[in-house]
Amino acid sequence: MENKLTLYNTLHRKKELFIPIHSPHVGMYVCGPTVYGDAHLGHARPAITFDILFRYLQHLGYKVRYVRNITDVGHLENDADSGEDKIAKKARLDELEPMEVVQYYTNRYHKAMEALNVLPPSIEPHASGHIMEQIDFVQKILNAGFAYESEGSVYFDVEKYNKKYQYGKLSGRNIDDMLESTRDLDGQSEKRRSVDFALWKKAAPEHIMRWKAPWSEGFPGWHMECSAMGTKYLGEEFDIHGGGMDLMFPHHECEIAQSTAALGKETVKYWMHNNMITINGQKMGKSLGNFINLEEFFTGTHPLLTQPFSPMTVRFFILQAHYRSTVDFSSEALQASEKGLSRLMEGYARLQKLTPSATSSVETAGLRAKCEEAMLDDLNTPIVISHLFEALKAINLVSDGKETFSEVDLVELNDVFKLMVEEILGLVVETETSAGNEAYKKAIDLLLNMRLEAKKNKDWATSDKIRNELTALGFEIKDTKDGFEWRI
């Protein structure tokens, strides 16, 4: 049976049927971070969104080559071919080599992704490691007549390109109006039109990162890296290109134009974009100064946070909304996610401890099909989570001894929870691994086992004393038919 996965193709503004399962290879390119600062919640969302897609495509049987780039050169401050390179600026301010900045923040990004249980990509190329490929790509565009050299820099000729192809098709912008309003630059710029964008920039004398090219000693434009590296590792045509919605224009629009101009055809079949995370209705990002980095979430050190939030709480918070919807951050929303995640994981833990009966007295059939249907419908993780919570009602009833599961139903339920919770949603139990924490947990278990022994001997005074004093210290204790459960 063929799984009919539909994905929302941003280019066509509609959900479309993805390639059939008998085409087993999928090429996926996702724009990764510009590594000049710590990863924040806005970086976490695309990483988690495309991690879900990566996991689910593999579950469906595809062999996925997942490429996620690292931008470490060419991304200028205002995204409009002016200002200082973001990496170079950070290096200058901190009195470091640019690659020291890159390495430091790349290491921290990887650490944050590992904490969020984001799987590493198949390939993670750096822009600075593919300068020759970018120079070659620029030359192809020049040879095709869709670029021009100006004072050592090379710019893409949007007006000429638009006469043959359509510039603005991804973002839906009216480029004719933009061209009309920006036609005359009065010699104030190297560009013919302000809408033109840099393919190669001649380096100013003070510019740190520079390479030799036929046109000048300089560096590639920001948009060029993805066209060059995407086609290098995935071919001239590949399946999926993803990233945050804020990259749709100008970054991804420029990519389409570059690749079409150089190759005479579009490279990407499906464009996918996750929506933004906002604070009080504003996009979260470094440029607005309202971002909270992931380390601050994990430690609770930002003034907007009322407490620390674990990596799995952050992941669950993001998965509770569909990837194409806006999510507005608040400490209260994260607290609600923390409680929801705790309920889900506790219920999953109870499920794993259940023993089968001869028959089932409660209905759980169809959970797998309902979860698969939601995932096949444009990765609808909120609906998957709602189905899992519905199943928890039956699990809790069986755990409390009020209902029963047969062995067949219990095995199936465990399989579905493992698949959906761990393998696809990527949620794992967060445990401290130090010897001190392990000893702490064993000490609490020892006290509660002593309480069970006291109850068995009808020593109610000792039993109540242990329970009451642990409760006063902040422990929540629940008696079950098999013993006890506890949490802080």
Side-chain angles (χ1 to χ4, degrees):
M1 180 178 174
E2 191 173 276
N3 291 296
K4 295 184 177 180
L5 172 61
T6 57
L7 299 174
Y8 186 85
N9 193 341
T10 308
L11 184 62
H12 298 145
R13 312 289 194 278
K14 64 180 181 180
K15 285 192 283 188
E16 297 183 333
L17 181 65
F18 191 64
I19 58 176
I21 200 72
H22 58 257
S23 301
H25 298 277
V26 173
M28 182 167 82
Y29 188 99
V30 175
C31 289
T34 302
V35 284
Y36 68 103
D38 278 325
H40 55 73
L41 197 60
H43 289 128
R45 193 171 195 194
I48 291 170
T49 294
F50 292 100
D51 181 58
I52 294 294
L53 179 58
F54 186 31
R55 289 168 180 270
Y56 195 61
L57 286 171
Q58 290 180 105
H59 161 67
L60 292 178
Y62 295 106
K63 183 176 181 180
V64 185
R65 178 176 289 174
Y66 175 17
V67 180
R68 185 183 68 204
N69 73 298
I70 294 289
T71 297
D72 58 2
V73 64
H75 195 169
L76 304 185
E77 288 177 282
N78 66 0
D79 299 347
D81 303 331
S82 63
E84 195 170 359
D85 184 288
K86 293 181 178 184
I87 304 291
K89 181 179 180 180
K90 183 68 174 173
R92 177 176 56 79
L93 292 174
D94 292 352
E95 298 182 341
L96 298 169
E97 283 291 326
M99 288 303 114
E100 283 185 273
V101 173
V102 168
Q103 192 65 58
Y104 177 78
Y105 286 111
T106 300
N107 291 346
R108 290 177 68 82
Y109 176 76
H110 287 157
K111 184 178 177 182
M113 293 304 104
E114 184 178 355
L116 291 167
N117 199 27
V118 170
L119 299 176
S122 314
I123 304 172
E124 191 174 59
H126 288 231
S128 63
H130 294 77
I131 300 298
M132 292 310 301
E133 288 88 347
Q134 295 179 74
I135 290 172
D136 290 345
F137 215 95
V138 173
Q139 190 61 59
K140 286 180 183 177
I141 298 171
L142 279 166
N143 293 345
F146 291 109
Y148 56 91
E149 185 181 347
S150 176
E151 299 180 32
S153 295
V154 180
Y155 292 96
F156 191 87
D157 192 331
V158 170
E159 183 174 32
K160 187 171 183 180
Y161 174 85
N162 196 55
K163 288 177 181 177
K164 183 172 182 179
Y165 302 103
Q166 181 188 351
Y167 184 82
K169 63 191 302 182
L170 180 66
S171 59
R173 300 201 174 204
N174 190 324
I175 301 303
D176 288 331
D177 288 347
M178 291 177 64
L179 287 167
E180 190 62 36
S181 63
T182 62
R183 187 163 296 279
D184 188 2
L185 292 176
D186 298 324
Q188 297 173 12
S189 169
E190 300 169 351
K191 301 180 186 181
R192 295 175 184 170
R193 306 282 181 266
S194 66
V195 73
D196 294 350
F197 56 90
L199 303 176
W200 184 264
K201 287 283 286 184
K202 181 180 179 180
E206 68 276 7
H207 197 89
I208 306 173
M209 293 184 285
R210 56 177 68 214
W211 292 265
K212 290 182 180 180
W215 320 286
S216 66
E217 192 171 274
F219 55 94
W222 171 36
H223 315 303
M224 181 50 60
E225 64 183 81
C226 294
S227 289
M229 293 190 295
T231 53
K232 176 180 174 67
Y233 293 110
L234 299 173
E236 290 189 359
E237 293 181 79
F238 58 89
D239 301 295
I240 301 170
H241 195 318
M245 192 171 285
D246 56 323
L247 295 177
M248 195 184 302
F249 189 91
H251 187 48
H252 290 162
E253 196 74 74
C254 293
E255 276 192 63
I256 290 175
Q258 289 171 166
S259 298
T260 304
L263 305 172
K265 59 186 175 182
E266 288 188 26
T267 299
V268 179
K269 297 175 185 175
Y270 285 78
W271 284 91
M272 289 182 63
H273 294 87
N274 63 272
N275 216 321
M276 297 181 292
I277 292 179
T278 59
I279 298 180
N280 297 323
Q282 272 195 316
K283 173 198 165 187
M284 179 183 287
K286 285 188 174 72
S287 60
L288 296 173
N290 65 352
F291 69 98
I292 305 173
N293 69 47
L294 291 172
E295 184 68 23
E296 290 170 326
F297 274 103
F298 302 158
T299 60
T301 53
H302 194 280
L304 288 175
L305 299 171
T306 56
Q307 64 181 77
F309 293 100
S310 73
M312 285 301 101
T313 297
V314 172
R315 186 177 178 104
F316 189 67
F317 169 70
I318 289 171
L319 293 177
Q320 281 183 293
H322 190 270
Y323 76 89
R324 287 193 286 111
S325 66
T326 303
V327 177
D328 198 53
F329 157 81
S330 70
S331 205
E332 292 76 17
L334 274 166
Q335 286 171 334
S337 291
E338 185 177 57
K339 291 177 182 175
L341 176 63
S342 179
R343 282 179 54 211
L344 179 63
M345 301 311 282
E346 286 171 10
Y348 182 27
R350 286 192 197 103
L351 171 62
Q352 292 170 298
K353 294 175 184 176
L354 295 180
T355 54
S357 299
T359 60
S360 292
S361 62
V362 63
E363 179 63 45
T364 58
L367 178 62
R368 184 189 297 270
K370 288 189 287 188
C371 289
E372 291 278 11
E373 182 182 8
M375 286 302 299
L376 290 168
D377 184 16
D378 200 22
L379 309 179
N380 204 326
T381 57
I383 298 299
V384 172
I385 291 168
S386 72
H387 290 322
L388 295 173
F389 271 110
E390 188 64 29
L392 286 185
K393 295 177 184 178
I395 291 166
N396 290 333
L397 287 171
V398 175
S399 180
D400 292 339
K402 297 175 181 177
E403 302 286 355
T404 59
F405 284 138
S406 70
E407 184 172 1
V408 171
D409 287 346
L410 194 55
V411 168
E412 168 68 2
L413 205 52
N414 269 290
D415 285 348
V416 174
F417 263 75
K418 181 176 175 56
L419 171 65
M420 290 297 161
V421 174
E422 295 184 38
E423 296 174 16
I424 292 175
L425 297 182
L427 298 169
V428 293
V429 176
E430 294 174 299
T431 57
E432 299 290 344
T433 57
S434 71
N437 278 294
E438 287 303 312
Y440 167 80
K441 291 174 184 177
K442 289 177 181 177
I444 301 300
D445 285 343
L446 177 63
L447 278 171
L448 290 174
N449 278 313
M450 289 172 64
R451 176 175 172 266
L452 284 181
E453 190 66 26
K455 285 177 69 178
K456 182 179 177 181
N457 296 329
K458 299 186 178 180
D459 182 358
W460 309 119
T462 300
S463 170
D464 291 345
K465 180 178 174 63
I466 293 172
R467 182 186 184 101
N468 293 341
E469 293 198 9
L470 284 174
T471 301
L473 290 171
F475 290 87
E476 182 181 310
I477 299 159
K478 180 181 178 182
D479 293 319
T480 69
K481 67 175 185 176
D482 298 316
F484 56 81
E485 295 174 358
W486 65 269
R487 67 176 181 176
I488 300 174

